[in-house]
Amino acid sequence: MDTPQHDTLFPADWPALPDAPGFTHSIVETPGLRTHLAEIGEGDPVLLLHGCPEHWWQWETVAPLVAARGYRVLCPDLRGAGWTAAADEHMDRETRLQDILAILDELGIARAHLLSHDLGALTAMQLSYEHPERVRRAVQLSVPPAFMAFSLRTLPGFKHLPAFLFHRPGASLRGTFSSEYAARPLPDAVIDAHLAPLRRPEIDRAIRSASRRLIVPEGLRMTAGVYRRRRLTVPTRFVYGREDRFWNEAIMRRICRHPERYADRVDFAYVDGASHFMTDDAPGAVADVALEWIEQDAGAPTGGPEAIRWG
């Protein structure tokens, strides 16, 4: 799998871009960062932020479905992932947030819809809280809201974290895509495509860096209730797979009681036949549930219990 644009955008010894018909590829230059951007469609911008250990290609089936409804879909490789290159490998809690703001500014995009998954959802969450003027509507996949209440029942949802925190260079991360996190086995070729950029040493090192400097600090803020003392004003839909063992409707109802206290307008939705890696398990359903939220009438209620829906 390869695209003709690889030779003109990246060093010859970098892994080949996986094939994804209809996408164009470019480099967005911002201070200290060369962000690889995969893009498809025209219209209002929808920014898609991938999870870990994935990259832009996570959206290769979802993005065309969103674009077909009249949207410009932007799939950047976040710092430390995919085919993006950073002059400085240092990363802290808000580094990726600042990267996204710089990318939006460089592209001349004042506001965008957000669709995010896994680790990308932390950056999307930060953008919604810190810069709500830049976000129209947000859809967050497989990650609990920032205003969740800590419960011992949530601990199994973090059992994957040690493998990232203590990741050794060159160690395989294929186990990340095990049956614990996917509703059906992923083909080897798909897993290979997700993991290919880890052959770049700096991307391999970033697994541990992002885990320690982004996931842990932000996770501690969430469990300490920092976001329960703030208010989420961006209309946000939280989506989970029905077969997700760790983040599901029963857990959400326990840790997100009275969401109207912390958010103006939120919604909880669930996708059949999907687990954590829902963009692989059920990409069509993910596109549908995201588009249904994005395309809701702008006059929808903006506060109070009537603005909360559990799916």
Side-chain angles (χ1 to χ4, degrees), residues 46-296:
V46 183
L47 181 64
L48 276 55
L49 303 183
H50 62 79
C52 177
E54 297 166 298
H55 46 79
W56 71 274
W57 194 73
Q58 173 180 4
W59 309 107
E60 61 99 14
T61 303
V62 174
L65 297 173
V66 176
R69 293 274 276 269
Y71 294 95
R72 178 189 181 191
V73 186
L74 307 165
C75 308
D77 281 335
L78 298 173
R79 180 188 293 259
W83 285 260
T84 287
D88 182 355
E89 293 184 28
H90 176 77
M91 191 184 307
D92 60 29
R93 188 177 66 85
E94 291 193 342
T95 300
R96 284 183 166 181
L97 169 62
Q98 298 306 319
D99 291 343
I100 289 298
L101 290 169
I103 291 166
L104 291 175
D105 289 344
E106 182 66 23
L107 296 174
I109 297 174
R111 299 178 73 210
H113 296 292
L114 276 179
L115 173 57
S116 61
H117 176 255
D118 188 74
L119 183 52
L122 293 187
T123 299
M125 175 195 77
Q126 292 171 342
L127 186 60
S128 291
Y129 276 96
E130 303 301 335
H131 299 276
E133 75 283 356
R134 307 301 297 265
V135 184
R136 295 179 66 177
R137 280 179 171 259
V139 179
Q140 180 173 308
L141 308 177
S142 303
V143 174
F147 56 77
M148 74 170 194
F150 176 74
S151 166
L152 291 177
R153 295 193 181 186
T154 66
L155 291 179
F158 301 99
K159 64 179 295 186
H160 67 288
L161 195 53
F164 294 130
L165 288 171
F166 304 106
H167 176 66
R168 293 177 290 104
S172 174
L173 289 174
R174 296 187 76 84
T176 306
F177 299 96
S178 75
S179 60
E180 281 199 302
Y181 302 102
R184 59 187 56 82
L186 271 64
D188 286 341
V190 170
I191 298 175
D192 290 343
H194 285 314
L195 298 179
L198 294 176
R199 298 202 297 268
R200 295 173 54 198
E202 64 272 30
I203 301 302
D204 195 27
R205 289 192 295 267
I207 294 292
R208 186 158 57 181
S209 176
S211 300
R212 297 183 178 192
R213 298 173 181 172
L214 171 54
I215 298 176
V216 169
E218 199 60 84
L220 291 174
R221 285 164 56 86
M222 291 169 66
T223 55
V226 170
Y227 292 99
R228 292 169 70 82
R229 298 189 289 273
R230 303 186 62 178
R231 190 155 190 89
L232 178 62
T233 59
V234 172
T236 303
R237 168 170 279 181
F238 301 97
V239 185
Y240 307 91
R242 291 281 186 194
E243 297 184 35
D244 194 321
R245 302 181 185 185
F246 309 110
W247 304 110
N248 49 49
E249 186 169 3
I251 289 292
M252 289 306 112
R253 288 185 177 275
R254 184 177 186 86
I255 67 175
C256 296
R257 295 171 180 168
H258 307 295
E260 69 278 2
R261 296 177 181 175
Y262 315 107
D264 287 354
R265 179 164 177 76
V266 298
D267 173 292
F268 295 81
Y270 302 88
V271 172
D272 292 331
S275 185
H276 176 81
F277 287 108
M278 55 197 335
T279 53
D280 289 292
D281 288 333
V286 168
D288 287 344
V289 77
L291 284 164
E292 195 276 333
W293 182 252
I294 288 171
E295 294 176 346
Q296 282 194 23

